[in-house]
Amino acid sequence: QVQLVESGGGLVQAGGSLRLSCAASGRTFSQYAWFRQAPGKEREFVAAIRWNRWNSGDTYYADSVKDRFTISRDNAENTVYLRMNSLKPEDTAVYYCAADYGSGTFYLARDYYYWGQGTQVTVSS
């Protein structure tokens, strides 16, 4: 049974940092991503990491988080991380981990089959 379990969310002041974790079990995937959803808004792409036989993991970021967030993976632990620095109030959302095999895009939620339950991130001003 495949499970993605997120952790690491919380309340932080603007300018602070958090690290989210997504522990995957039951299967190893070639593509992981983080999405977020704020109240009243659609789920949006945040970051993705994708492997194939020719690379060690290409990373992709939404413009709104580029240079502030870093996605990475610990292969031994089958865990994906999202390091978030210089957090802003507009980063407040529920953050979701997603995984798939990379047959679709890296930025569309509909191209991911497996999802975690989400973790709340709240950034106060």
Side-chain angles (χ1 to χ4, degrees), residues 15-31:
S17 298
L18 283 174
R19 190 182 76 161
L20 305 183
S21 301
C22 172
S25 61
R27 205 166 291 183
T28 300
F29 299 95
S30 55
Q31 181 171 299

Side-chain angles (χ1 to χ4, degrees), residues 12-79:
V12 64
Q13 287 189 331
S17 298
L18 283 174
R19 190 182 76 161
L20 305 183
S21 301
C22 172
S25 61
R27 205 166 291 183
T28 300
F29 299 95
S30 55
Q31 181 171 299
Y32 293 85
W34 289 94
F35 288 78
R36 67 187 182 187
Q37 188 165 19
K41 295 188 176 181
E42 293 187 353
R43 192 167 297 191
E44 65 173 0
F45 169 75
V46 175
I49 187 165
R50 173 190 273 183
W51 290 266
N52 56 43
R53 70 183 72 179
W54 300 285
N55 69 40
S56 59
D58 289 337
T59 57
Y60 308 90
Y61 298 94
D63 288 343
S64 59
V65 307
K66 202 172 294 183
D67 299 326
R68 298 190 297 124
F69 290 10
T70 303
I71 188 171
S72 61
R73 179 187 177 189
D74 183 327
N75 289 335
E77 297 293 329
N78 203 15
T79 298

Side-chain angles (χ1 to χ4, degrees), residues 2 4 22 24 27-35 48-52 73 78 80 97-116:
V2 174
L4 301 176
C22 172
R27 205 166 291 183
T28 300
F29 299 95
S30 55
Q31 181 171 299
Y32 293 85
W34 289 94
F35 288 78
I49 187 165
R50 173 190 273 183
W51 290 266
N52 56 43
R73 179 187 177 189
N78 203 15
V80 176
C97 175
D100 213 284
Y101 296 105
S103 58
T105 72
F106 60 82
Y107 56 89
L108 291 176
R110 66 170 184 252
D111 287 335
Y112 290 86
Y113 186 79
Y114 299 98
W115 290 85

